[in-house]
Amino acid sequence: MSKRTLILEDGMTFEGTAFGATRVTMGEVVFQTGMTGYQEMLSDPSYCDQMIVLTNPLIGNYGINREDYETTRPLAKALIVREVCHTPSNFRSQSSLAEALEEFDIPGLTGVDTRQLTRHLRSKGVMRGLLVDGEFNLADQLERLHNMLLATDQVQRASTERAYIIPGAGPRIVLVDFGAKLGIVRELVRRGCEVVVVPYNVTAKEVLRYQPDGMMLSNGPGNPKDVPTAIPLIQELTGKIVIFGICLGHQLIALAHGADTFKLPFGHRGANHPVQDLQTGHVSITSQNHGYAVDEQSLNGFELIVTHVAINDGTVEGVRHRTEPVFSVQYHPEASPGPMDANDLFDQFLTEITNQQEVTHA
């Protein structure tokens, strides 16, 4: 049991105990409010380069299993918890959380007041942090933090390098992988789709070669403006195939149609975010993980209209093209972890494909 300290760029420190990998690490410190699903959170590619603070006090009690990973190579920088359980008890458990962190070379910090840390991030905004072991000079470490350069290649690192196909007898869906969660693939496969997963920098010409029935733009990490290759892709394929965007995919659709995005003070990361459908008035409880949002005012005069808004802060949670079969949501309909209130958006996507095919063949 060795001393490990989280140092925030504003000088605040949180001392606790090390677990997981043994190495110094830096990243953006964010908090996640979900009560369960720590394995899915840890392996969500959208957390690339981020240090995840989990607000639920006990983490690791049901262990780690093969089935619940959202990627095969987690890219989070660290996991910070109030109390870690080293003796999990669950019939599906195959290893402990600490063992998983060691396997993926991710440092963990336990024994800190995560409620105080979360309140601090909520009032000051997310910020850069550094984990160090043992004794240290605070001034030196703060200088190191302030000199830390924020990466802009998270999507490139999170995306697949080569296209691959998951067979199915239903519609052929091209999934553009900006850091896609496996939950999205599972939902498409569950509906019988043939899924063609392609890299983030795929061109419109390459997509059309697959003769797809629809294209899905996945979630992913970082700033949407760091993915300029997606803009011409979306622009060229709008009106040619049905397009559905999730999270980062939603933000990229907005950028491709002339709108703007901005960074939220502390983001939306949790499994209990209420979202209202403006057409029906229905409110769904959703799973979310994003640090950027679409600027609603920037949509004025362009082809997109707002379809969903966040109840908590009024930010844009969904858009639709006025005339073409293009729509997107900021939240995660595949949940994983989280409520399944919005899971029928995958069915809506397939219905739009069917409708489009009927129009084409009419």
Side-chain angles (χ1 to χ4, degrees), residues 4 49 69 95 147 180 221 254 258 290 315 347 362:
R4 176 168 286 170
D49 289 350
Y69 281 111
S95 68
N147 291 332
H290 61 99
T315 51
D347 298 320

Side-chain angles (χ1 to χ4, degrees), residues 38 56 58-63 84-85 87-90:
Y38 53 81
N56 196 57
L58 178 62
I59 298 297
N61 53 313
Y62 55 84
V84 64
C85 176
T87 55
S89 177
N90 187 279

Side-chain angles (χ1 to χ4, degrees), residues 4 14 35 59 92 102 122 155 166 169 175 198 243 248 256 274 278 298 309:
R4 176 168 286 170
F14 292 83
M35 296 184 68
I59 298 297
R92 299 173 70 225
E102 289 178 10
R122 199 178 187 282
V155 166
I166 302 171
L175 173 61
V198 297
I243 302 176
L248 180 64
L278 295 180
S298 71
V309 296

